[in-house]
Amino acid sequence: MNRIRTQCALCDKKFIRRCSQTFTFESKELANAYQPDEVEKSANGDYFVPKIKSNERPFSLVLPPPNITGTLHLGHALTATIQDVLIRWQKMRGRETVWVPGLDHAGIATQVVVEKRLWKEKGLRRQDIGRERFAEEVWKWKKQKSSTIREQLRRLNVALDWDREVFTMDEARSATVTRAFVKLFDLGLIYRADRLVNWSCVLQSTISDIEVDHVALDGATDLTVPGYDRPVRFGVLANFAYTVVGSREEIVVATTRPETMLGDVAVAVHPNDSRYSHLVGKRLRHPFRDDVIPVVADDFVDPDFGTGAVKLTPAHDPADFEAAKRHDLPAPQIINEEGRLTSFCGDLEGAKRFDARRTVLDRLADLRLLRSIADHQTVVPRCSRSGDVVEFLVRAQWFLACANMAETALNCVEDFRLSLEPRHFEKQWSDWLRDTRDWCISRQLWWGHRVPAYSCSGGGGRAWVAAESATEARRKARAVLDCAEDDVVAAQDEDVLDTWFSSALQPFSVFDQKGDLERYYPLSMMETGHDILFFWVARMVMLCTQITGVLPFREAILHGIVCDARGRKMSKSLGNVVAPDDVIRGATLPDLEKSIADSYEAGLFTEEEFVRAIKTQREAFSAGIPQCGADALRFTLLTHNVKSHFVGFDVSECHANRLFCNKIWQATKFTLFWCRQVEDRAALRDLAEASLMDRWILSRLSAMVRAVHAAFESRDFYVATTAIKQFLYYEFCDIYLECAKTPLRDAGNVEVAKRACLTLLQCLDVALRCLAPFMPSLSQHLHERLPRRWNVGQDRGFPQELDWDDETLEKDVERARDVVVALRRLKKTFNVSAKHDAQAVVVTTDAALPLFAPTMRDLTGLRGLAVATAPPHDVADYIEDSASGTRVFLKVPPELREALRADVLRLRKTRGKLAKELVKMDKMMSGDGYAAKASADARKAHSEKVAALREKINRINYIERLSREK
């Protein structure tokens, strides 16, 4: 490479600083076009990092750890991009930063996928190989997936501190989890109790609320349930009767789960329901047990729903469980952990729960107690990990008392010590924390942190203690059991902790190096999806504050859920998931289908999901996905308001931003070319005064920088990306570059050419540094090629706000742009090209507009353009239009006028068809019930279609009007 050392001698006081330093410049030619893969593989993450000069406390972030269950999706990409942009912005401001990467062991999810793979590859269940060997299989999986996820994050070009990478089950994190559990137990906040929990019969474990999908059904629907050879019907309401002992009266109850009536212990009615008040306290005969059950009165019953009488099955329904406690009723378990009926069910013992459903209905019919069966709207709870229908079972579990911690978390938002963005989540935060229940933190899994609780026996007694080891457990139990330590037998609980427990400790557990906790905790902020506000963010606030005494962060930014181009949430079940890698590197349709097939073979897709995903991919990406690159992907994700409930993603929009990258590339290549050309003409120190358009583009640059600064402060990244694209694409490339070509090509006025070069370089220098947090690879690649001998490019920090604003000039240019738009519209309408040597006259009394005649001529491509106070004398040869009160005249050859008149006949027919379609759309959208029945996506699509129809009709009207002019 050619190295040039030169002394900078530019000295314009307003637009550029004096410089007396010596710089080294490496001359590197730019390729003909932007190629993202070539640019991104050569990026250096430290390029835009000046020396630390800020006295602010270090800016610290923790990347929400992806699960080791598969590959990253666009939600992960959005989170990583938002955090990376913030980190790079802080670094460029000279602030010390730390950004900790990590992975989550994802207890249930990981165990499920490894079990599926074990079965597919070896035909073995985990029970066949035992707990130790199964753990080895999971660690192999973790090694494979962690490498994949790490590479995916690197392809996103994120500036993570990789030397700090953690895993929620590594040695340091495991020790932290154990210490936290022991501390909370010793404080009396963790206890063991029999409670009703979500149970997956397939997983043989409790599952958290976040792992339960509530599937709404409008009526009878057949669902595939693991363990059943044929689909099971849900969405059916059965009414059957209980007879009153010693009477001919009966009470009819309704249920969507007839099999649970085997465990009914009472029928409840509302205390004020006159239909049943005389029956309260009476006994009902259970048809399948030699037993009677009472009629009880309880306020939780809705007298207007169904028959107004509710059967109580306490061991398998949350509401019934609470009602049974109020009335001191038993809670017999009729369904076991495997989803089979227990001995309490007599001759049906061992039957599968949904097989027993049919048997119970048949027997009720035989006893003439079945009154009706009808379709019914209902919600079925399904395990998101296994597809199983969730059962509610009473189990001995470990619980964390949350009341006091929830109050603390609630208060910290109410007294503004913690801010939530967007602010509307404050109400949800308040509602959830005021109604929070104790947290079931134990899981019946083989993968996860073993609960550090020991069942200790000795001296004739038994007690549970929490300890970091069996030795410590025996020591602690000695005092409780009042016996010698050697007499204590300690057995650790087989259960593991809920994954969210260890994740909730993440803000401080990641800092295990000496001095790091004091330096980097609490975090500067937390950024994550709003869908885990309560499962993660609230629990981090509760646990970290309880254990450390300090809030884990003072700001939480909550982004929306990434949706596809049609506004649908991306999910395997819909088959519309787009992988970040496919967008970055591009993918053919066969590539996409192979990826889905690989996931299916690995057990990550069911057969139904596999078929649906293949179908969706073929519809959405018949031509594959074009290569867009990481920079375009990052920029596209942040062109949307990430604080919205949903964040849309369209591959075509991403590809458009890849073309935007090429636009910046070509503008830089153009600038570097002319800088070399101008340098050959004369010494650099000779400079002309800045032209009107030089001053205008620098004023727009100043406005852009100010908007970007404000956007970063408010975390409104879409405002920043909009301002940057508006400046670089439309103002710098489309306007200023075109205007600069004339002075650059003027060999007789070298000083003016040099001023244009300097303005081009100044704009690129500042704009690329503003763009750097969003598009780090492209920005570095171009910025490092700016010629330092022009005294630009040596500052790699984030631009300070500029004072180059000129509002009067901007208004003048805006009026000139309106004229340009009008003339371009006329040219396009009549197909006027350069070969026609067209002339234009702009008629105005605006004193400033004549100054921009050269600019308007450059931007319209017209050979001749005059600004006058009166129309041209041969006005009959011109077509007239107007722009912001200014009259514009374009001289159009007669043959082009005749061609347009001939085309108008065809356009009139088109307008008729468009008008009919518009009437049809208006009628549909104004119809009764449209607003209630049409989905949000449909209403948006319809509105866009109506706007497009009206735009086409207006365009035809405009063309028709012009065709009539003489």
Side-chain angles (χ1 to χ4, degrees):
M1 294 183 181
N2 180 30
R3 293 180 176 271
I4 304 170
R5 296 181 70 83
T6 183
Q7 189 77 18
C8 181
L10 301 176
C11 57
D12 187 302
K13 292 182 180 180
K14 183 174 183 182
F15 297 119
I16 198 160
R17 295 186 299 274
R18 290 183 179 274
C19 178
S20 59
Q21 300 180 40
T22 300
F23 301 99
T24 299
F25 170 62
E26 293 187 1
S27 177
K28 302 176 184 177
E29 288 292 332
L30 286 175
N32 288 333
Y34 168 65
Q35 295 296 332
D37 51 343
E38 293 297 321
V39 170
E40 288 165 5
K41 71 182 180 182
S42 61
N44 174 5
D46 293 330
Y47 178 80
F48 286 108
V49 182
K51 291 182 179 180
I52 295 175
K53 57 186 178 182
S54 172
N55 293 324
E56 295 179 83
R57 188 177 178 277
F59 185 81
S60 55
L61 282 181
V62 170
L63 181 69
N67 294 344
I68 58 166
T69 49
T71 56
L72 299 185
H73 52 64
L74 284 175
H76 294 117
L78 177 61
T79 302
T81 300
I82 293 171
Q83 291 202 358
D84 187 60
V85 165
L86 287 166
I87 283 287
R88 290 180 184 274
W89 175 56
Q90 296 289 356
K91 282 185 175 182
M92 291 180 72
R93 296 172 66 207
R95 187 174 179 183
E96 181 188 354
T97 65
V98 61
W99 187 20
V100 183
L103 295 169
D104 195 294
H105 66 280
I108 290 179
T110 302
Q111 179 162 314
V112 168
V113 296
V114 174
E115 282 195 81
K116 286 182 178 179
R117 187 172 75 162
L118 189 64
W119 179 257
K120 269 188 171 290
E121 294 180 355
K122 302 178 181 179
L124 295 173
R125 301 176 305 156
R126 60 185 166 94
Q127 292 85 352
D128 298 328
I129 62 175
R131 188 164 187 158
E132 186 175 337
R133 280 188 56 197
F134 181 74
E136 292 175 1
E137 292 292 326
V138 182
W139 280 105
K140 289 178 186 176
W141 171 273
K142 182 265 175 185
K143 184 177 180 181
Q144 172 192 342
K145 288 302 174 183
S146 60
S147 176
T148 300
I149 292 171
R150 195 178 297 116
E151 286 306 308
Q152 286 184 300
L153 286 170
R154 291 185 187 278
R155 277 194 286 275
L156 275 172
N157 196 13
V158 290
L160 284 156
D161 295 324
W162 289 106
D163 58 331
R164 292 180 174 274
E165 184 179 2
V166 299
F167 177 52
T168 52
M169 276 188 63
D170 63 27
E171 186 176 345
R173 258 46 61 186
S174 294
T176 300
V177 169
T178 297
R179 288 194 297 269
F181 183 96
V182 172
K183 181 175 181 176
L184 294 168
F185 181 94
D186 290 345
L187 288 171
L189 295 175
I190 290 180
Y191 62 94
R192 188 172 176 83
D194 290 340
R195 295 281 179 84
L196 202 66
V197 295
N198 301 319
W199 183 268
S200 169
C201 299
V202 171
L203 299 176
Q204 295 282 285
S205 174
T206 57
I207 58 176
S208 67
D209 290 341
I210 197 174
E211 287 150 340
V212 178
D213 293 332
H214 298 279
V215 181
L217 305 178
D218 288 331
T221 306
D222 291 337
L223 299 178
T224 301
V225 180
Y228 290 81
D229 296 331
R230 57 181 180 177
V232 178
R233 177 155 295 184
F234 296 87
V236 175
L237 189 70
N239 287 278
F240 69 92
Y242 276 113
T243 58
V244 179
V245 175
S247 169
R248 291 186 177 183
E249 286 188 89
E250 66 180 25
I251 292 183
V252 177
V253 295
T255 180
T256 57
R257 296 200 57 189
E259 67 277 10
T260 63
M261 65 84 60
L262 297 169
D264 285 357
V265 297
V267 170
V269 296
H270 194 276
N272 299 329
D273 193 336
S274 59
R275 294 173 295 175
Y276 304 115
S277 58
H278 67 290
L279 294 178
V280 174
K282 300 286 187 178
R283 299 286 169 172
L284 307 175
R285 188 172 305 281
H286 195 286
F288 303 145
R289 302 198 310 255
D290 185 17
D291 192 9
V292 292
I293 60 176
V295 178
V296 299
D298 199 293
D299 289 337
F300 93 100
V301 178
D302 181 0
D304 297 324
F305 179 77
T307 64
V310 177
K311 58 188 283 298
L312 297 184
T313 316
H316 302 283
D317 183 273
D320 294 1
F321 183 78
E322 296 300 324
K325 286 197 297 183
R326 289 193 292 271
H327 296 279
D328 196 25
L329 295 169
Q333 180 179 326
I334 64 161
I335 300 173
N336 66 16
E337 294 89 340
E338 297 178 352
R340 294 180 180 273
L341 299 193
T342 67
S343 59
F344 190 82
C345 301
D347 65 334
L348 289 178
E349 179 183 2
K352 292 182 179 179
R353 52 184 170 156
F354 297 128
D355 289 342
R357 175 176 297 181
R358 293 190 295 271
T359 303
V360 168
L361 287 173
D362 289 342
R363 291 186 179 184
L364 286 170
D366 291 342
L367 293 171
R368 299 183 179 180
L369 295 175
L370 185 62
R371 295 293 175 261
S372 66
I373 296 177
D375 284 8
H376 178 69
Q377 289 184 340
T378 189
V379 175
V380 177
R382 303 199 73 175
C383 173
S384 63
R385 307 300 184 185
S386 64
D388 191 17
V389 174
V390 173
E391 194 61 63
F392 298 104
L393 298 182
V394 177
R395 283 291 170 273
Q397 301 288 336
W398 291 101
F399 290 88
L400 176 63
C402 294
N404 291 335
M405 290 188 292
E407 185 177 2
T408 300
L410 181 64
N411 292 338
C412 73
V413 169
E414 292 182 345
D415 61 19
F416 306 107
R417 286 181 291 134
L418 172 64
S419 67
L420 301 178
E421 283 290 334
R423 293 287 300 275
H424 63 75
F425 281 110
E426 290 179 4
K427 184 180 185 305
Q428 295 182 35
W429 179 271
S430 176
D431 292 344
W432 189 80
L433 289 171
R434 291 185 191 280
D435 193 38
T436 191
R437 294 177 294 175
D438 287 354
W439 174 14
C440 176
I441 59 174
S442 51
R443 300 288 180 267
Q444 290 64 53
L445 302 173
W446 285 5
W447 173 245
H449 297 101
R450 280 277 294 274
V451 174
Y454 295 79
S455 176
C456 298
S457 59
R462 183 177 294 274
W464 281 99
V465 298
E468 296 184 30
S469 65
T471 301
E472 182 187 351
R474 286 192 293 270
R475 179 181 58 78
K476 295 175 76 170
R478 177 188 60 187
V480 178
L481 299 173
D482 192 23
C483 64
E485 184 175 334
D486 291 342
D487 293 336
V488 176
V489 177
Q492 187 174 359
D493 196 320
E494 291 290 321
D495 289 354
V496 301
L497 289 167
D498 180 9
T499 301
W500 293 106
F501 184 87
S502 55
S503 298
L505 309 177
Q506 196 86 349
F508 71 85
S509 69
V510 297
F511 299 120
D512 55 350
Q513 299 179 31
K514 186 177 180 180
D516 278 359
L517 190 62
E518 293 79 8
R519 185 167 184 79
Y520 301 123
Y521 182 85
L523 302 176
S524 299
M525 68 168 59
M526 175 51 62
E527 199 291 324
T528 190
H530 69 70
D531 53 327
I532 53 175
L533 172 63
F534 308 120
F535 299 105
W536 194 41
V537 179
R539 286 168 173 169
M540 280 190 288
V541 172
M542 290 194 294
L543 262 69
C544 291
T545 306
Q546 177 67 47
I547 292 171
T548 70
V550 180
L551 272 174
F553 37 80
R554 297 191 178 279
E555 178 183 5
I557 301 175
L558 306 165
H559 67 247
I561 298 170
V562 180
C563 298
D564 64 14
R566 293 170 55 186
R568 302 174 303 172
K569 181 180 177 181
M570 291 187 179
S571 68
K572 288 192 301 180
S573 61
L574 288 176
N576 62 343
V577 175
V578 177
D581 274 5
D582 292 336
V583 179
I584 293 172
R585 298 186 294 190
T588 64
L589 183 59
D591 290 336
L592 296 173
E593 293 181 348
K594 182 179 183 303
S595 177
I596 295 170
D598 290 345
S599 295
Y600 173 65
E601 289 299 321
L604 300 179
F605 280 153
T606 64
E607 184 173 354
E608 181 183 357
E609 290 170 340
F610 169 72
V611 172
R612 187 184 296 113
I614 290 290
K615 181 177 183 293
T616 301
Q617 293 283 24
R618 289 176 179 174
E619 292 173 352
F621 306 114
S622 58
I625 296 176
Q627 182 193 58
C628 298
D631 278 350
L633 172 59
R634 292 162 57 103
F635 193 83
T636 302
L637 288 169
L638 297 189
T639 56
H640 299 267
N641 183 357
V642 299
K643 298 177 189 176
S644 297
H645 200 77
F646 296 105
V647 178
F649 181 82
D650 189 339
V651 168
S652 62
E653 182 185 357
C654 194
H655 186 247
N657 282 322
R658 186 241 196 256
L659 299 178
F660 171 49
C661 292
N662 188 61
K663 187 98 169 178
I664 304 170
W665 182 279
Q666 298 301 339
T668 307
K669 190 174 178 65
F670 171 90
T671 299
L672 297 180
F673 169 80
W674 280 107
C675 285
R676 287 192 294 272
Q677 295 295 312
V678 171
E679 285 173 5
D680 292 339
R681 297 180 191 170
L684 288 177
R685 61 178 173 273
D686 299 323
L687 269 176
E689 290 296 323
S691 70
L692 285 172
M693 293 309 291
D694 291 335
R695 288 165 46 205
W696 172 78
I697 195 61
L698 291 171
S699 179
R700 295 306 304 145
L701 178 68
S702 183
M704 183 270 286
V705 172
R706 185 168 56 254
V708 172
H709 269 275
F712 268 107
E713 293 293 346
S714 63
R715 320 301 192 212
D716 291 322
F717 307 107
Y718 74 101
V719 175
T721 54
T722 300
I724 292 170
K725 190 168 186 178
Q726 172 68 25
F727 174 79
L728 278 171
Y729 200 111
Y730 302 105
E731 295 166 349
F732 181 69
C733 292
D734 286 357
I735 298 177
Y736 182 74
L737 251 66
E738 293 301 316
C739 295
K741 289 177 181 178
T742 299
L744 289 172
R745 292 167 179 162
D746 186 357
N749 198 338
V750 179
E751 291 76 16
V752 173
K754 283 185 291 190
R755 166 56 70 186
C757 279
L758 181 59
T759 303
L760 288 167
L761 288 170
Q762 286 175 307
C763 289
L764 283 174
D765 170 41
V766 174
L768 288 173
R769 284 187 283 136
C770 282
L771 184 65
F774 303 97
M775 292 185 173
S777 299
L778 176 65
S779 299
Q780 175 189 333
H781 196 86
L782 299 180
H783 191 271
E784 66 184 356
R785 284 161 174 76
L786 299 183
R788 306 299 191 264
R789 56 189 175 278
W790 286 78
N791 193 30
V792 293
Q794 64 270 21
D795 186 352
R796 298 181 186 180
F798 200 79
Q800 300 295 313
E801 290 196 29
L802 309 172
D803 60 351
W804 299 344
D805 303 88
D806 191 331
E807 293 184 12
T808 300
L809 177 59
E810 287 194 28
K811 291 178 181 178
D812 291 342
V813 173
E814 189 63 33
R815 289 194 295 275
R817 288 175 66 183
D818 290 341
V819 171
V820 169
V821 169
L823 288 170
R824 283 177 172 174
R825 186 167 58 237
L826 287 172
K827 286 182 65 180
K828 182 178 180 181
T829 300
F830 287 93
N831 289 320
V832 174
S833 61
K835 68 180 182 180
H836 296 110
D837 195 22
Q839 306 289 316
V841 177
V842 178
V843 178
T844 183
T845 57
D846 186 341
L849 205 54
L851 300 174
F852 295 96
T855 298
M856 293 186 288
R857 185 169 53 248
D858 290 338
L859 295 178
T860 56
L862 294 168
R863 292 284 183 87
L865 186 149
V867 180
T869 57
H873 66 278
D874 52 346
V875 70
D877 295 334
Y878 289 77
I879 297 295
E880 181 182 353
D881 203 349
S882 62
S884 300
T886 299
R887 300 170 69 188
V888 295
F889 296 84
L890 179 68
K891 198 169 188 177
V892 178
E895 65 272 18
L896 296 183
R897 296 191 188 196
E898 290 302 320
L900 182 65
R901 291 192 182 100
D903 200 38
V904 164
L905 295 176
R906 178 185 60 82
L907 290 175
R908 283 174 180 165
K909 293 181 181 179
T910 301
R911 181 176 58 191
K913 293 179 181 178
L914 294 173
K916 288 181 181 179
E917 191 171 358
L918 181 60
V919 170
K920 182 179 177 182
M921 290 296 298
D922 284 338
K923 184 177 180 180
M924 177 189 70
M925 295 174 68
S926 61
D928 295 338
Y930 172 79
K933 294 178 183 178
S935 67
D937 292 341
R939 292 197 300 272
K940 180 181 177 184
H942 294 159
S943 297
E944 290 174 350
K945 185 174 182 179
V946 166
L949 288 171
R950 287 176 176 158
E951 172 61 27
K952 290 177 182 178
I953 292 172
N954 290 337
R955 174 74 178 162
I956 294 173
N957 291 338
Y958 171 76
I959 293 173
E960 184 179 34
R961 177 178 65 81
L962 292 178
S963 71
R964 292 197 297 267
E965 296 195 7
K966 296 181 180 180

